[in-house]
């Protein structure tokens, strides 16, 4: 069906408005627990519903054909499905679009089947979509790296000598990755006030970082790098990421080995993984790269994506978040394929369910900067919210809400939200 029907013409028997994040063109995957109880299981989002993939599989409507796995969705994670690779992913996606299409009566006209298969999305409880074995965070926005470098080293030395030659990154903490809606406690740490000895206490400069992340599907064997033009076959899909950062803790501790306690207290991700197949119509050229990357980082395909991104702050007195940042994933200097190719270039083995985050996504204008550090320029230019309040950094009680979507002709491919509320230390 995907090959014969233009993507913009696909329609489901489930009513989905044009500005909804989850039309039949999307069908992102996640792990949910149904309202009223029930074990966590894989699902696909469509409109305000979740399609129960375990139920579809057990009813015989969904055969994955994954090697050695007859029931890939009989699980509380997507790791097994991720490991199946592109052939399995495409087969399941095509079958779901067939079953959910407006002109297919297979489940549409079966009230008992619908009752078993469709769940109310808003009343379901979302969980982490994968067992995340390893987490890596990159630093791949030239605008962000330039802004931060300018603040701390001056404009002439903003970028470190290696930055234009390789995707800089560090290994983060997988255990503190949390799902959207989870409260984030203000972290304690050691900081160094100007002209004073170090002190121990709550972070005073808590920040968000607007990022996107990708989940590894099929991994690679230890010692076997993934060639750049094969990398996309190893990427299952993308999520929104808020890389919470305690700037004062980070500033004192990160030299010489990089981020540590200023990052590892929490990382928030959106619950729905949007596949590369769903994002294919929005693939585009990224920024020009000068000097040209080394051959192992040079791809024959464009691998940036035109994804609109927004960050809002909602105080305890506000009903809606005040948008403070509008950016786009296409601004990334180093794309996701270059990131994974570099990550495995030394033979490092990536595994199904590993998460790689992009680094802060900042654009060319002040309104598109992806962190409070940049938006308030180290606290010298307070950000005014829609209710008149000002913020230099994030306060207790504030919620940070990230959203993202790719806009098609009459439909959008959305990611939902990555939201978290800050609680006191």
């Amino acid at each position: 069906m995907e090959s014969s029907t233009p993507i913009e013409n696909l329609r489901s028997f489930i009513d989905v408005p044009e500005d909804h994040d989850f039309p039949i063109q999307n069908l992102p995957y996640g792990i949910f627990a149904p309202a009223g109880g029930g074990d966590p299981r894989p699902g696909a989002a469509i409109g305000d519903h979740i399609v129960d993939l375990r139920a579809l599989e057990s009813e015989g409507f969904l055969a994955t054909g994954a090697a050695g796995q007859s029931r890939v969705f009989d699980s509380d994670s997507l790791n097994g499905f991720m490991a199946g690779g592109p052939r399995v992913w495409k087969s399941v996606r095509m079958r779901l679009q067939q079953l959910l299409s407006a002109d297919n009566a297979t489940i549409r006209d079966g009230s008992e089947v619908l009752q078993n298969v469709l769940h109310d999305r808003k009343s379901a409880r979302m969980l982490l979509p994968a067992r995340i074995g390893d987490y890596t965070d990159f630093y791949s926005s030239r605008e962000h790296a330039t802004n931060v470098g300018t603040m701390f080293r001056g404009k002439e030395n903003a970028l470190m000598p290696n930055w234009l030659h390789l995707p800089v990154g560090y290994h983060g903490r997988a255990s503190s990755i949390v799902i959207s809606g989870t409260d984030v406690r203000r972290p304690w740490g050691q900081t160094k006030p100007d002209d004073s000895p170090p002190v121990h206490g709550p972070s005073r400069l808590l920040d968000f970082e607007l990022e996107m992340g990708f989940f590894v599907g099929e991994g690679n064997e230890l010692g076997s790098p993934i060639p750049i033009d094969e990398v996309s076959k190893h990427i299952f899909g993308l999520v929104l990421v808020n890389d919470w950062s305690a700037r004062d803790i980070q500033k004192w501790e990160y030299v010489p080995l990089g981020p540590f306690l200023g990052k590892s207290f929490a990382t928030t991700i959106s619950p729905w993984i949007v596949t590369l197949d769903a994002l294919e119509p929005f693939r585009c050229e990224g920024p020009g790269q000068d000097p040209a990357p080394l051959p192992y980082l040079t791809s024959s395909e464009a691998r940036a994506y035109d994804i609109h991104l927004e960050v809002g702050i909602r105080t305890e007195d506000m009903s809606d978040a005040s948008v403070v940042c509008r950016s786009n994933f296409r601004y990334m200097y180093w794309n996701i394929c270059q990131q994974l190719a570099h990550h495995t270039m030394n033979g490092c083995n990536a595994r199904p369910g590993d998460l790689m985050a992009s680094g802060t996504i900042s654009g060319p204008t002040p309104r598109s900067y992806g962190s409070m550090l940049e938006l308030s320029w180290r606290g010298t230019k307070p950000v005014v919210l829609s209710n008149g309040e000002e913020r230099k950094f994030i306060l207790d009680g504030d919620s940070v809400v990230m959203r993202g979507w790719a806009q098609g002709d009459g439909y959008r491919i959305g990611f939902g939200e990555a939201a978290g509320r800050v609680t006191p230390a």
Side-chain angles (χ1 to χ4, degrees):
M1 189 177 86
E2 284 190 332
S3 61
S4 60
T5 305
I7 190 71
E8 65 272 11
N9 293 339
L10 291 178
R11 292 292 180 269
S12 172
F13 66 82
I14 297 171
D15 184 44
V16 181
E18 286 189 359
D19 61 350
H20 201 290
D21 277 357
F22 306 133
I24 193 172
Q25 290 88 350
N26 192 351
L27 302 180
Y29 299 107
I31 296 293
F32 76 103
D39 296 334
R41 76 280 307 271
I46 181 163
D48 291 329
H49 298 82
I50 299 175
V51 180
D52 188 330
L53 299 180
R54 178 189 292 177
L56 273 184
E57 188 178 54
S58 65
E59 294 279 353
F61 293 115
L62 199 62
T64 65
Q69 301 185 58
S70 59
R71 295 285 297 277
V72 72
F73 292 122
D74 189 12
S75 175
D76 61 359
S77 81
L78 289 169
N79 292 63
F81 182 41
M82 292 173 170
R87 183 184 61 81
V88 172
W89 308 338
K90 289 179 184 295
S91 173
V92 169
R93 176 176 167 79
M94 182 177 294
R95 180 59 173 157
L96 285 175
Q97 287 183 328
Q98 290 173 342
L99 290 170
L100 294 168
S101 68
D103 57 0
N104 191 320
T106 304
I107 63 174
R108 182 193 66 198
D109 297 342
S111 58
E112 185 177 343
V113 175
L114 277 179
Q115 185 177 357
N116 291 335
V117 167
L118 284 186
H119 298 261
D120 178 54
R121 183 173 55 82
K122 294 181 179 178
S123 61
R125 180 169 60 93
M126 300 304 300
L127 296 93
L128 287 174
R131 290 186 295 273
I132 303 171
D134 282 299
Y135 167 56
T136 298
D137 192 18
F138 287 94
Y139 188 55
S140 292
S141 161
R142 183 170 186 168
E143 288 80 5
H144 174 68
T146 299
N147 289 339
V148 174
T150 298
M151 289 179 203
F152 295 101
R153 293 186 298 275
K155 193 169 184 179
E156 296 302 316
N157 299 304
L159 294 180
M160 298 298 283
N162 63 349
W163 200 93
L164 292 172
H165 296 274
L166 57 86
V168 174
Y170 71 94
H171 293 288
R173 185 74 183 175
S175 65
S176 53
I177 297 172
V178 297
I179 201 68
S180 177
T182 305
D183 286 347
V184 174
R185 195 195 75 168
R186 181 176 297 272
W188 286 70
Q190 188 178 129
T191 60
K192 174 67 168 64
D194 293 339
D195 303 319
S196 299
V199 297
H200 176 238
S203 170
R204 299 175 62 188
L205 305 180
L206 186 59
D207 201 355
F208 66 80
E209 292 195 10
L210 169 63
E211 304 192 16
M212 296 200 71
F214 65 86
F215 277 96
V216 174
E218 277 189 297
N220 60 300
E221 295 293 329
L222 181 66
S224 300
I226 304 176
I228 184 72
D229 285 327
E230 298 292 320
V231 167
S232 63
K233 299 175 184 177
H234 294 260
I235 295 176
F236 180 70
L238 276 64
V239 293
L240 300 171
V241 176
N242 182 353
D243 178 30
W244 297 93
S245 300
R247 298 298 185 186
D248 42 359
I249 298 172
Q250 181 183 1
K251 179 183 177 182
W252 174 233
E253 72 177 5
Y254 86 104
V255 178
L257 292 181
F260 187 30
L261 301 184
K263 296 280 192 176
S264 61
F265 59 96
T267 302
T268 299
I269 67 170
S270 54
W272 295 105
I273 305 175
V274 178
T275 65
L276 292 194
D277 280 339
L279 291 169
E280 180 62 23
F282 309 98
R283 194 151 55 90
C284 61
E285 294 286 346
Q289 294 183 312
D290 184 18
L294 293 174
Y296 81 95
L297 290 172
T298 302
S299 175
S300 60
E301 296 182 329
R303 278 295 169 183
Y305 292 87
D306 184 10
I307 300 172
H308 304 276
L309 300 168
E310 288 186 354
V311 183
I313 297 174
R314 184 174 62 244
T315 73
E316 293 181 297
D317 299 326
M318 297 168 64
S319 57
D320 296 315
S322 175
V323 176
V324 297
C325 164
R326 288 186 172 91
S327 191
N328 195 295
F329 194 43
R330 61 185 168 86
Y331 294 142
M332 299 304 293
Y333 188 88
W334 296 105
N335 65 52
I336 58 176
C337 289
Q338 290 174 316
Q339 289 170 349
L340 188 54
H342 182 69
H343 201 307
T344 65
M345 178 266 294
N346 67 340
C348 175
N349 55 321
R351 297 172 293 185
D354 285 356
L355 179 64
M356 315 280 177
S358 63
T360 304
I361 305 165
S362 293
T365 63
R367 188 68 170 176
S368 64
Y369 294 166
S371 66
M372 290 300 290
L373 179 68
E374 298 164 272
L375 289 166
S376 72
W377 207 257
R378 296 184 72 182
T380 63
K381 301 176 181 179
V383 175
V384 181
L385 306 181
S386 58
N387 66 349
E389 293 186 53
E390 294 184 347
R391 289 291 185 273
K392 297 178 181 178
F393 290 92
I394 305 301
L395 302 183
D396 291 348
D398 288 349
S399 294
V400 175
V401 183
M402 296 180 175
R403 296 206 63 222
W405 67 91
Q407 188 61 53
D409 183 9
Y411 71 97
R412 68 168 42 173
I413 302 296
F415 289 79
E417 290 184 350
R421 180 175 64 97
V422 176
T423 60

